[in-house]
Amino acid sequence: MYKRENDFATVLDTDSDRDAPATKAGSGPNGARKIGSTIVLPVGSQVATVPPPVRRPRTERRYRSAVIGFDLFALVIAHVVVTVGYHSFDQIDSWRTPVLIGAALTAAIVSLGIQKAWDERILGTGPEEYRRVVRGYVFAVAALAVAGYGWGTSAGQSWTFGSLLIALVLTLLGRTVLRRHLSKARAEGRCLHSVLVAGDVEEVHELVSRADCLRRAGWRIDGICLAVDRSADSLPVAIDDIPVLGTDEIVLAVAAQHNFEAVALLPSGRWPHARTRRLSWDLEKIGAELLIAPVLMDVVGPRLHISPLEGLPLLQMSAPSYSGPAWIVKNVFDRVLAVLTLMAIAPALLAVAIAIKAGSRGPILFRQQRVGRGGTPFTMYKFRSMVVGADEHKDDIAEHDIGAGVLFKVREDPRVTRVGRFIRRYSLDELPQLFNVVKGDMSLVGPRPPLECEVARYGEDGAARRLFVKPGLTGLWQVSGRSNLSWDESVRADLRYVENWTFMLDLSILRRTIRAVLSGDGAY
């Protein structure tokens, strides 16, 4: 995981000049330094300085400008379509037309602004960005509808319920296109914010293991400060190839010296409230942001709430809920979409069945006992992709097992038939599980359906929490790497889904599943 070689002084001296700006102070990392026109003092200094205005990175500002431009363009196009395509020339020539159009445009822009739909921190994030856009347009439509009712006129209905709804669709499409370009740039190492991580070795390693997820969110870990005493005999040179630049006692100096754009504090007893607050003030002076990771890194979204108590912000975590209107909608949506999908792909199912029967002897369907919600067993259906009696030859290839934990996975499994390899690559063998969805044993989206022998071997890693919900035809495990995932990664993906389930998350996973299946990556 990491190597311990040089002592602290050697590591700091070795790395201190790397990427250092020309304006660094010559008094060393613990002295005052000048950045731009601002004198930054060491932690604990009693002399106050006025922090410079935090200027967002150039790429972030350009992306925000592009989003605003696309949103305004969508509004204009939508109003042109409704005005020219719906109204007659006499209506367009009326003096009321520009007034109504101006009111609709103003309401939409003001509402999007109130919802902070152009906040740099949420642009390109996906669900939260889309929620703010939808809320902005819903409030704009509601405000115009109430205003029209109060004035006793319906003259602006076409712009209220026509233009704004068209603009909403165009805005979401435009932001999706921009977000894809941003994701591509981040995958190539561009448009990323440099982050310095401070915390214990175990916590740092946990965060670094999620480097790909951080990169997709726009963050890149470029340095580490470990939570150890300065008097420590030695420090690791690097953790997972990321350089260790010092201890958490000199976080501010390291952040200033290497121009980090953010400092991420991981859970540690070395960062009490007063010290953390002071660091946040000092980071303002060098234009860096402070990121604080909660103890439970996998819990996000609607389960987390800020509860202020006498000025002390407490992070309140509510229990996961698998009931109520949203859960009912999920179950109805699952069955209706499963039935419609079965009707649509019936010819493809027939073709796969014929190919399996012609390719090797044996039944078309493979039935297997799996464990569902609450530990209830059920029979899961799949297209047969292996030779008959494949389980009897499992011990013969046990030495080739590459699965971690309780999973049994073999690359180039000799038991898989020629047709089986093809249908596995594109997940066609999973399609009969749509019948399990219709029956109510499974969901379209959920954790991977476990075998009874796997459940019996569950340990203290929380894998049993996957049984809180129905297993799914697809899930985060499917869109995060499929069979390429290790046991720990598979459990983590399923727990992330169980802990943070929302209906919007289901829709996002279904969309990503299509891309994962077409690419065929991670299937064997």
Side-chain angles (χ1 to χ4, degrees), residues 86 148 199 230 276 322 336 401 410 415 418 455:
Y86 181 78
R230 181 169 183 153
T276 303
Y322 311 113
V336 171
D401 178 22
V410 176
R415 301 173 298 168
R418 182 180 302 177
V455 174

Side-chain angles (χ1 to χ4, degrees), residues 93-416:
D93 194 43
S94 172
W95 66 269
R96 299 172 62 182
T97 298
V99 174
L100 294 172
I101 293 176
L105 289 172
T106 302
I109 294 173
V110 171
S111 185
L112 288 173
I114 293 175
Q115 293 299 321
K116 297 183 178 180
W118 295 308
D119 189 339
E120 293 95 337
R121 290 169 294 184
I122 61 98
L123 294 180
T125 58
E128 176 60 25
E129 177 183 7
Y130 297 151
R131 276 194 292 269
R132 294 192 186 188
V133 170
V134 171
R135 284 201 301 264
Y137 274 100
V138 168
F139 289 153
V141 170
L144 290 175
V146 170
Y149 177 80
W151 289 329
T153 178
S154 60
Q157 286 185 352
S158 59
W159 289 286
T160 300
F161 299 102
S163 297
L164 293 186
L165 293 182
I166 294 175
L168 170 60
V169 174
L170 294 177
T171 298
L172 294 177
L173 289 176
R175 293 203 179 204
T176 299
V177 172
L178 289 175
R179 183 167 174 255
R180 288 181 178 177
H181 283 286
L182 180 62
S183 298
K184 182 179 179 181
R186 287 172 174 174
E188 296 172 350
R190 297 181 286 113
C191 302
L192 297 174
H193 304 304
S194 181
V195 179
L196 173 66
V197 176
D200 298 325
V201 172
E202 294 78 9
E203 299 292 343
V204 169
H205 181 68
E206 171 71 15
L207 184 65
V208 171
S209 67
R210 309 176 188 220
D212 291 339
C213 297
L214 290 171
R215 189 177 295 109
R216 287 195 293 269
W219 303 103
R220 181 185 63 230
I221 302 176
D222 289 332
I224 297 170
C225 283
L226 290 180
V228 296
D229 292 329
R230 181 169 183 153
S231 60
D233 295 335
S234 61
L235 283 176
V237 173
I239 296 180
D240 294 342
D241 297 327
I242 298 176
V244 175
L245 304 179
T247 71
D248 62 347
E249 295 179 350
I250 58 169
V251 166
L252 179 63
V254 173
Q257 186 171 349
H258 294 276
N259 282 340
F260 284 102
E261 296 172 271
V263 173
L265 288 186
L266 303 185
S268 173
R270 293 172 57 85
W271 284 97
H273 169 68
R275 188 184 179 196
T276 303
R277 180 178 60 181
R278 180 65 189 182
L279 177 64
S280 69
W281 294 343
D282 289 330
L283 289 176
E284 290 178 3
K285 301 172 186 177
I286 63 174
E289 295 183 348
L290 178 63
L291 309 175
I292 301 179
V295 177
L296 298 176
M297 292 188 184
D298 287 316
V299 180
V300 296
R303 290 186 58 196
L304 296 182
H305 312 275
I306 300 295
S307 298
L309 178 63
E310 296 295 332
L312 177 64
L314 297 179
L315 193 62
Q316 179 181 359
M317 185 181 68
S318 59
S321 176
Y322 311 113
S323 60
W327 192 254
I328 294 175
V329 170
K330 170 184 171 66
N331 284 274
V332 172
F333 175 80
D334 283 342
R335 299 193 183 192
V336 171
L337 185 57
V339 170
L340 295 177
T341 303
L342 284 171
M343 295 171 60
I345 66 173
L349 295 176
L350 179 61
V352 172
I354 294 175
I356 293 173
K357 197 65 177 178
S360 62
R361 67 176 184 86
I364 296 174
L365 291 179
F366 174 71
R367 297 173 175 84
Q368 191 175 47
Q369 284 293 109
R370 297 289 179 114
V371 180
R373 185 181 185 186
T376 304
F378 69 97
T379 301
M380 188 185 74
Y381 306 110
K382 296 178 67 175
F383 278 129
R384 182 177 58 85
S385 60
M386 292 186 174
V387 297
V388 177
D391 289 340
E392 300 174 1
H393 302 284
K394 185 176 180 178
D395 294 338
D396 299 337
I397 59 174
E399 60 182 10
H400 301 293
D401 178 22
I402 64 172
V406 303
L407 297 180
F408 181 84
K409 297 186 293 186
V410 176
R411 292 185 183 272
E412 302 297 333
D413 195 325
R415 301 173 298 168
V416 179

Side-chain angles (χ1 to χ4, degrees), residues 484-496:
N484 284 335
L485 297 180
S486 66
W487 167 250
D488 290 337
E489 291 170 335
S490 177
V491 171
R492 183 182 299 162
D494 282 341
L495 288 181
R496 195 178 307 135

